[in-house]
Amino acid sequence: MPSIGVKLYSVFFKFMLKHRLQSRLQALETDAVGGGGSFGVTSRPDEETAAAPNPSFTDGVATKDIHIDAVTSLSVRVFLPDTCLNLPETRSKSRVGVSSSGSDENQALVRRYSYGSSSNGVVSSSNGGVLVKRAQNVDNSYRRNSYGGSIDDANLKFENGTYRGYKPVGNNFRRLPVMLQFHGGGFVSGSNDSVANDFFCRRIARLCDVIVLAVGYRLAPENKYPAAFEDGLKVLHWLAKQANLAECSKSLGGTRGGVDLRRSEANLHVADAFGASMVEPWLAAHGDPSRVSCILSVYFGDPKKDLPELLSNVILQGSRCVLLGVSCGGNIADYVARKAVEAGKLLDPVKVVAQVLMYPFFIGSIPTHSEIKMANSYFYDKAMCILAWKLFLSTEEFSLDHPAANPLVPGREGPPLKRMPPTLTVVAEHDSMRDRAIAYSEELRKVNVDAPVLEYKDAVHEFATLDMLLKTPQAQACAEDIAIWVKKYISLRGHEFSY
């Protein structure tokens, strides 16, 4: 069972949340909220404290905010880990070791069950749990480089200790995969720059070794469905645009494979001006939407014989983007993944290779066993979930079987489930939404999609992302488990379980 402190905080949390939701619902009924334009709000300063962006690597991750849409409040916070500055080592040591029996017992306490996951890098225990073996006291100087690339220190720009990025010219820099993160809050609260979300994204950026883009989508009831979903998809299109602009700015300048591609100084100036005015420098320098140019520049084989196979490997290895959604952010991530599958090559060179759904905000008109048993569960009970959906959906559209709320509703639009990307689902034992998330994962596995489920014992909804619970061993273990699974799909070396 959850601790006494968690239970007491849950009572206070539910009291405050219920008061806020009812206030917004009353304001909506009196037309005081809603219909105020499409610009919208992405945070509520009166409810939570925002963490200021810090573009220096004081704690291993630099951050900055970008407003990416001129007609709405949509924004992203970029989390750039300092590993992008590390020169890759030729020597590497496996970071997967054998832990002691005591550490195995500790892992069994924080993780309860795992459904449908592969056995690579994990050891199943006799009681059905999954124990992840991690190395201890590993020399960081031999950090394994899963992504390739290098960095030219001369191109870095530091001003008063603040990293400003560098001009995206040439190939001599390290690239990292990109992860889009969607925060929770029942569509009506939360923000991408809150202290809790900032801490969580920094942790994920360090463990997964990725650039995290935390999406500040528009909140309800000021902007109802599908505003938040469209904002998530808009960020993915923006990322694809950034990737193409960065490649465009490099295409007329620099050398590749010893061949000078600069046609003229005028063309180089045009390309640089075009890229510098529109490309986000951190993403241009360190984002990894595609590795085609880097791989072709070091190819010396027989083009007629080996190039088709090489290109097929490039297509499989490049375009590494992962979606991660927390609570209602899981609903947004699943929507963005489906739209990305529908878009196909229109998003090139960006491709969604995996998604992580952390206790998604699913519901339905026919209650599941967990919804009946834990109708008055911790932090988010069923009554407050329904109230949040009333604020998010319009009166005409409101239904617990709305496609945004119930992923298993018959006739749901979108691509068939067999085309969905690999999906990791994280659930908590004491969460009313647990069974529906597991059922969705089971449907994915039926059509041969890699869709494991990790259930955590004695955990509650948002146990790994809520401000009070962020520093618990269980929250840390959850982030590490996510990193292990995500690295299967973002590592150029294939299935890799090292930090």
Side-chain angles (χ1 to χ4, degrees), residues 432-443:
S432 62
M433 307 173 215
R434 163 189 174 275
D435 285 358
R436 202 172 298 274
I438 293 176
Y440 181 51
S441 181
E442 289 175 349
E443 291 300 315

Side-chain angles (χ1 to χ4, degrees), residues 166-217:
Y166 60 90
K167 195 174 184 180
V169 175
N171 298 320
N172 196 26
F173 42 73
R174 186 169 181 229
R175 298 297 192 92
L176 298 178
V178 177
M179 174 183 287
L180 300 188
Q181 188 264 356
F182 305 95
H183 65 81
F187 300 109
V188 297
S189 60
S191 68
N192 65 330
D193 61 356
S194 66
V195 172
N197 199 68
D198 185 88
F199 184 93
F200 173 74
C201 289
R202 288 175 181 272
R203 172 181 283 171
I204 290 295
R206 288 192 295 264
L207 290 176
C208 295
D209 213 7
V210 297
I211 301 174
V212 176
L213 301 184
V215 180
Y217 55 84

Side-chain angles (χ1 to χ4, degrees), residues 252-378:
L252 296 180
T255 61
R256 295 178 187 170
V259 179
D260 191 355
L261 299 181
R262 287 177 290 187
R263 295 179 177 85
S264 67
E265 290 299 325
N267 287 339
L268 180 61
H269 175 75
V270 171
D272 286 347
F274 179 65
S277 62
M278 304 185 71
V279 176
E280 206 297 306
W282 287 9
L283 292 179
H286 300 298
D288 184 21
S290 176
R291 302 186 62 83
V292 174
S293 60
C294 296
I295 294 179
L296 291 181
S297 66
V298 297
Y299 174 71
F300 299 103
D302 183 356
K304 294 182 180 180
K305 180 179 179 181
D306 300 329
L307 194 55
E309 180 180 356
L310 174 66
L311 289 177
S312 65
N313 292 332
V314 169
I315 294 173
L316 291 174
Q317 293 174 349
S319 309
R320 297 168 296 158
C321 178
V322 179
L323 307 178
L324 186 149
V326 177
S327 189
C328 67
N331 301 50
I332 300 175
D334 187 64
Y335 171 86
V336 173
R338 288 188 287 114
K339 290 298 182 181
V341 171
E342 290 180 342
K345 294 184 178 181
L346 295 177
L347 287 173
D348 282 349
V350 172
K351 180 181 179 182
V352 175
V353 297
Q355 66 170 340
V356 179
L357 307 181
M358 300 182 67
Y359 22 82
F361 202 60
F362 294 151
I363 199 170
S365 59
I366 302 177
T368 63
H369 177 71
S370 63
E371 290 173 352
I372 296 174
K373 182 180 178 181
M374 292 176 280
N376 192 31
S377 60
Y378 302 97

Side-chain angles (χ1 to χ4, degrees), residues 450-471:
D450 181 19
V453 174
L454 298 181
E455 181 180 2
Y456 291 80
K457 183 179 180 180
D458 294 333
V460 298
H461 190 78
E462 290 214 49
F463 72 93
T465 49
L466 201 63
D467 50 2
M468 177 188 177
L469 307 176
L470 269 171
K471 296 184 180 181

